[in-house]
Amino acid sequence: MSAVIEVRGLRNQFGSQIVHENLELDLLRGEILGVVGGSGTGKSVLLRTLVGLNRPQAGSVHLFGQDLLTLAGEPRLALARRLGVLFQQGALFSSLTVSENIALPLIEHAGLSRPDASRLAALKIALVGLPASAGAKYPSELSGGMIKRAALARALALDPAILLLDEPTAGLDPISAAAFDALILTLRDALGLTVFMVTHDLDTLHAISDRIAVLAGRRVLVSGTLAQVAATDDPWVRDYFHGPRGRAAASGQPPPRTHPT
């Protein structure tokens, strides 16, 4: 498979804090790549760099063979329209209804009229499994799971080729999280999407990831299938993939609970 995103020699630094140094990563066409790492390893910083919200101090980011860091003007906007982003907390505009949130990029970036954008927004609402009545609701009127789906509908508004997800199942109960995982897998297969997913959810990694990349030591420590990554001789990898929760996710059983004595 060809790479739709190629990251080479990436360095992200904020003041004296170096988050990434010589980081290299490929996102392959049609895959779901799960990105994991301990706190402070820069998972969300990497995602923001890929969508152009953070400019690195060194390195290159190529999307579909084009250098994201040197593009400007309309070519840069055209490339950005091929990306759909689901932020961790949804990031819906609180003063707009769900339908208006989805219609906004269609009006601003695709140049659709409001009636046409509203009709297309209704299709996106149905696509992510929300009832039609959700379109008239404000974010404050939605459950956590509905907010995730509404934000996903907005991410899909411009028919992107790449979907970037930041902790998509965070805060969801196990049933809602499993349903969201199934939705991502269905949409990937139906729409031909490529998915870059930052997550800490072991169940999600086991359920839908084709490959996993582990961030550690300011770089990608290892990337490969779950089995390949889990076999890596590294303390964090061992604790993460072979601890109680990792074993439970692999077996499909709930993790053992400890009881106070």
Side-chain angles (χ1 to χ4, degrees):
M1 289 186 291
S2 60
V4 294
I5 295 181
E6 297 174 283
V7 180
R8 298 290 182 268
L10 190 71
R11 176 158 59 89
N12 278 310
Q13 182 173 354
F14 302 95
S16 61
Q17 180 186 8
I18 299 175
V19 179
H20 301 134
E21 184 71 81
N22 200 31
L23 185 150
E24 307 215 338
L25 180 69
D26 287 339
L27 178 64
L28 305 180
R29 187 180 303 275
E31 76 171 344
I32 297 178
L33 176 68
V35 178
V36 302
S39 178
T41 53
K43 300 181 294 294
S44 293
V45 172
L46 177 58
L47 185 149
R48 291 198 297 271
T49 302
L50 297 182
V51 300
L53 296 177
N54 175 71
R55 187 171 185 84
Q57 279 64 47
S60 64
V61 179
H62 283 82
L63 276 63
F64 303 103
Q66 300 184 73
D67 189 344
L68 177 67
L69 304 181
T70 61
L71 285 179
E74 180 53 36
R76 172 69 174 268
L77 293 175
L79 191 62
R81 286 194 288 269
R82 302 185 71 181
L83 306 176
V85 186
L86 171 60
F87 295 100
Q88 186 170 345
Q89 304 300 328
L92 295 171
F93 294 107
S94 60
S95 61
L96 301 180
T97 65
V98 168
S99 179
E100 289 168 341
N101 265 280
I102 301 167
L104 185 61
L106 294 166
I107 295 169
E108 295 295 325
H109 298 294
L112 296 188
S113 66
R114 290 186 181 276
D116 286 343
S118 295
R119 283 191 288 271
L120 193 51
L123 293 177
K124 301 299 182 181
I125 288 170
L127 184 66
V128 299
L130 285 173
S133 59
K137 295 183 181 295
Y138 289 91
S140 61
E141 300 175 295
L142 303 178
S143 67
M146 292 178 74
I147 287 175
K148 295 279 189 181
R149 288 175 183 257
L152 179 60
R154 186 179 62 181
L156 294 170
L158 296 174
D159 297 325
I162 301 175
L163 189 61
L164 299 104
L165 312 174
D166 192 359
E167 299 286 5
T169 57
L172 299 182
D173 64 82
I175 294 175
S176 296
F180 199 87
D181 289 342
L183 174 62
I184 295 300
L185 194 59
T186 297
L187 292 174
R188 188 278 301 268
D189 294 341
L191 303 178
L193 296 168
T194 301
V195 181
F196 176 98
M197 175 179 62
V198 171
T199 185
H200 70 279
D201 192 327
L202 281 158
D203 290 324
T204 295
L205 292 174
H206 279 272
I208 66 173
S209 290
D210 296 304
R211 286 194 309 130
I212 296 170
V214 177
L215 298 189
R218 302 175 178 174
R219 61 187 177 88
V220 174
L221 173 68
V222 60
S223 65
T225 65
L226 193 149
Q228 291 169 335
V229 170
T232 301
D233 185 17
D234 175 81
W236 188 89
V237 171
R238 286 196 301 271
D239 289 345
Y240 186 74
F241 287 99
H242 300 290
R245 291 185 180 276
R247 293 195 299 271
S251 66
Q253 299 297 318
R257 295 183 180 273
T258 57
H259 299 279
T261 57

